Amino acid sequence: MSGFTPKSKKDDHTQLSSELENSVLAHSLSKNIRTLKQLFTDVDILKFRYIQNTHNQELKYCIAYCDGVVNSAIINDSIMKPLQLSQAAQPGQGLIDTLMNQVLQINEAEKTNSLKDIIEAVTYGDTILFTDGAAQAIILNTKNFPLRAIGEPEVEKTLSGPREGFTESLLSNLSLLRRKVRSHELKMKFTSIGTRTHTKACICYIDTIVNKQALDELNRRLAAIDIDGILDTNYITELIKDARWSPFRTTGYTERPDTVVGKLLEGRIAIFLDGTPVVLTVPYLFVENLQSNEDYYLNFYYGSYSRLLRILGFLLTVCVPSLYIAIVAFHHEFMPTPLLISIASERQSVPLPAALEAFIMLIVFDILRETGIRMPSNIGQALSIVGALVIGQAAVEAKLVAAPMIIVIAITGITNLLVPKMNAPVIYIRYFLLLLSSSFGFYGLFLGITCAFVHILNLFSFGVPQVTLSGNLRFQDFKDLFIRSSWRSMLTRPSLLAEDKVRMKQPDGDGHD
């Protein structure tokens, strides 16, 4: 027939699976098991075990579980053995409740008649107990996933402070958080993201401190996510981001429990995701790019100095190449005469213009940096350092690059290490400023800096501006901005993040200075 497209067997199977998944259990044990086997066709790790009570032959059960993600000892000793030997269970309407309350020796049990809940549970390490004559099943907690040991995060090492970091286990990560905040005000709300992966996520916040408007906005954005799978928190970051095309982050990230607790105590919200050690925090302020958790574990004089160095490093890594090109190509009068003569003599035998030379060297440096990251750790660091030295020295000796350019690129690369949270925006801003300064000199450089600054001022994170310029200059608004003040001085939390503004009271009881 014209215009008729026959359905494939795959389409029929998909439609049938969808219908079965959204159905409920029947009273027949054999029918329920047959439905589950039909849904898990070709899934050989799904095991079924039939059990019959030794005291009452009418009591027939079947347990279903995925091999490799369950604790076999719990299944044998706490499920199968009681079901076989118990005399408390009797056939009838109250069988399910009797099994849950008197027979099964499991710390967590839940009854359900939804096949969708059963599918999610059995694939997450739970064991499902079916009984003959009941249109309900019992979900039993028997999870036993292989886990990585808790250790210090590689990218967030500190000289002082706690050494533990998150792992890929959601429950293990939440236990690390709960150990540090022993209060009923710490809320943990579970949700599921991904239409096929059904990845578990947990939203954590301190109820009396959190910004309720930001919390409502986060829940709305998470509920709007409609994607087949979530494998890492960066999926969520891109899907809930405020400024979609901005290179700057609007969500924070960390692998350290102490950092998450510090953010929660300032009114932020943490998003945990099963399967990844990275935790998101929102709202996110721009100054967090320049902060380090180590600032609060060392003397505040040293912490303040370190933060000022990071701010200086950020400015240098984005501005040094463009500043050098603007001076060399357009504004010679800004250099002392001896320095100008020295640079001019070095550039006499170099065939490329200074701007093109800068672009090429920056790209080569980025290639070496990416190569060092992708290589094994014991080889990558040596490769990036030796590669930079060898290529730089060879380029100068071959008269392909001037020696001052090597110094400029070296300063750019070293200062970039001071702000690891801003790798992506630094790269884009650096090339943007370099392009403008290569075309218009200082005028282009200042224009580019102004555009970047205006963009940063217009960034929001869940309704909170990332940078706030207030006409009312109060010390409490700047106590943890450019420097880290002493704990005796940090009396209030960030005003835009927290409902409860008071962090610590002065001895006289006035904590609102």
Side-chain angles (χ1 to χ4, degrees):
M1 291 184 184
S2 176
F4 175 74
T5 303
K7 282 188 174 181
S8 65
K9 292 183 178 180
K10 183 177 180 181
D11 293 335
D12 292 337
H13 178 72
T14 302
Q15 183 178 358
L16 179 61
S17 297
S18 179
E19 292 175 356
L20 291 175
E21 182 181 342
N22 294 317
S23 62
V24 295
L25 295 179
H27 285 80
S28 172
L29 175 61
S30 59
K31 184 176 181 180
N32 291 333
I33 298 303
R34 186 167 59 250
T35 301
L36 195 62
K37 287 183 177 180
Q38 190 172 2
L39 286 169
F40 283 88
T41 302
D42 296 333
V43 182
D44 294 337
I45 66 169
L46 183 65
K47 305 297 182 181
F48 295 90
R49 179 73 162 83
Y50 290 91
I51 305 166
Q52 190 171 25
N53 188 276
T54 57
H55 301 284
N56 191 335
Q57 300 298 320
E58 296 181 8
L59 293 175
K60 298 179 181 179
Y61 314 102
C62 181
I63 58 174
Y65 58 90
C66 284
D67 194 18
V69 294
V70 295
N71 190 320
S72 300
I74 293 179
I75 293 177
N76 294 334
D77 299 335
S78 302
I79 299 177
M80 294 181 60
K81 188 175 180 179
L83 289 175
Q84 291 173 339
L85 303 179
S86 175
Q87 300 182 34
Q90 296 296 329
Q93 188 174 1
L95 177 58
I96 294 293
D97 293 328
T98 302
L99 292 175
M100 292 178 62
N101 299 328
Q102 301 181 34
V103 178
L104 298 170
Q105 302 173 9
I106 294 292
N107 67 331
E108 185 180 342
E110 178 187 358
K111 59 183 178 181
T112 182
N113 67 343
S114 170
L115 273 171
K116 184 176 182 181
D117 294 341
I118 290 174
I119 293 170
E120 290 186 16
V122 75
T123 54
Y124 197 55
D126 291 328
T127 297
I128 312 301
L129 172 61
F130 298 92
T131 64
D132 195 16
Q136 289 182 315
I138 305 176
I139 300 175
L140 303 169
N141 179 18
T142 56
K143 299 179 184 70
N144 185 32
F145 296 104
L147 302 176
R148 177 171 59 92
I150 296 174
E152 185 176 9
E154 290 293 330
V155 296
E156 294 184 83
K157 290 184 177 293
T158 61
L159 298 176
S160 179
R163 303 291 182 182
E164 58 190 8
F166 291 125
T167 65
E168 286 74 17
S169 170
L170 176 61
L171 296 178
S172 176
N173 295 341
L174 294 177
S175 68
L176 294 175
L177 185 66
R178 173 55 71 184
R179 192 181 69 180
K180 292 181 178 295
V181 184
R182 292 176 289 180
S183 169
H184 68 281
E185 295 179 352
L186 176 60
K187 307 300 181 183
M188 299 179 176
K189 298 180 66 175
F190 286 98
T191 185
S192 181
I193 308 176
T195 56
R196 295 189 181 275
T197 60
H198 300 289
T199 309
K200 290 289 184 182
C202 185
I203 302 172
C204 301
Y205 57 92
I206 297 179
D207 191 43
T208 55
I209 301 177
V210 69
N211 185 329
K212 296 296 193 299
Q213 294 180 347
L215 179 62
D216 293 340
E217 179 64 17
L218 174 62
N219 289 326
R220 185 191 67 80
R221 296 187 190 183
L222 290 177
I225 294 177
D226 185 11
I227 190 173
D228 58 349
I230 297 288
L231 303 179
D232 185 71
T233 50
N234 189 63
Y235 285 61
I236 299 178
T237 298
E238 294 188 16
L239 292 171
I240 66 174
K241 188 176 182 180
D242 285 75
R244 183 179 302 178
W245 304 110
S246 173
F248 293 95
R249 297 186 64 93
T250 58
T251 58
Y253 66 96
T254 182
E255 295 184 35
R256 300 182 60 93
D258 53 318
T259 301
V260 172
V261 173
K263 303 297 183 185
L264 294 179
L265 291 174
E266 289 189 340
R268 292 178 178 85
I269 310 159
I271 307 169
F272 289 76
L273 189 69
D274 194 24
T276 176
V278 180
V279 176
L280 301 180
T281 58
V282 295
Y284 188 67
L285 303 183
F286 183 80
V287 70
E288 293 181 61
N289 293 309
L290 306 171
Q291 292 177 340
S292 170
N293 55 327
E294 200 171 45
D295 293 347
Y296 306 95
Y297 300 146
L298 301 174
N299 185 280
F300 67 93
Y301 290 114
Y302 180 78
S304 300
Y305 177 70
S306 299
R307 188 172 299 176
L308 291 173
L309 283 181
R310 290 186 214 109
I311 296 173
L312 178 62
F314 169 67
L315 297 176
L316 289 177
T317 194
V318 298
C319 292
V320 164
S322 51
L323 182 64
Y324 173 77
I325 296 302
I327 293 176
V328 169
F330 294 91
H331 307 283
H332 300 156
E333 64 276 8
F334 280 86
M335 283 191 296
T337 303
L339 180 60
L340 177 61
I341 295 174
S342 176
I343 293 178
S345 62
E346 286 287 338
R347 292 201 49 79
Q348 279 184 349
S349 56
V350 176
L352 299 176
L356 182 58
E357 187 181 39
F359 275 107
I360 293 175
M361 291 306 298
L362 284 174
I363 293 173
V364 170
F365 178 81
D366 287 335
I367 291 174
L368 289 173
R369 180 174 58 84
E370 284 295 317
T371 304
I373 293 174
R374 308 303 169 199
M375 294 291 290
S377 57
N378 56 345
I379 301 175
Q381 186 176 5
L383 177 66
S384 59
I385 295 174
V386 173
L389 291 174
V390 171
I391 292 177
Q393 183 66 26
V396 172
E397 291 180 356
K399 303 298 182 181
L400 297 176
V401 179
M405 181 59 70
I406 299 296
I407 298 174
V408 169
I409 301 302
I411 293 175
T412 303
I414 292 173
T415 52
N416 190 27
L417 300 176
L418 291 173
V419 283
K421 294 181 180 179
M422 302 185 68
N423 280 336
V426 158
I427 292 173
Y428 287 106
I429 295 176
R430 184 190 296 147
Y431 284 118
F432 176 64
L433 295 182
L434 183 57
L435 179 63
L436 290 178
S437 62
S438 301
S439 303
F440 307 106
F442 275 152
Y443 302 104
L445 175 60
F446 292 139
L447 176 62
I449 293 175
T450 302
C451 292
F453 187 64
V454 170
H455 175 68
I456 293 172
L457 287 177
N458 284 276
L459 286 177
F460 284 79
S461 177
F462 293 85
V464 177
Q466 288 201 316
V467 178
T468 304
L469 297 179
S470 173
N472 184 15
L473 298 180
R474 299 170 65 247
F475 171 72
Q476 286 300 315
D477 295 333
F478 296 91
K479 61 188 179 301
D480 197 22
L481 191 61
F482 302 109
I483 62 171
R484 201 277 282 183
S485 183
S486 67
W487 280 114
R488 288 182 174 271
S489 302
M490 292 198 288
L491 306 177
T492 62
R493 300 183 177 91
S495 58
L496 294 177
L497 297 179
E499 294 287 340
D500 182 3
K501 303 296 189 297
V502 180
R503 185 203 304 269
M504 180 176 63
K505 294 184 178 180
Q506 289 181 332
D508 59 357
D510 181 13
H512 298 277
D513 291 348

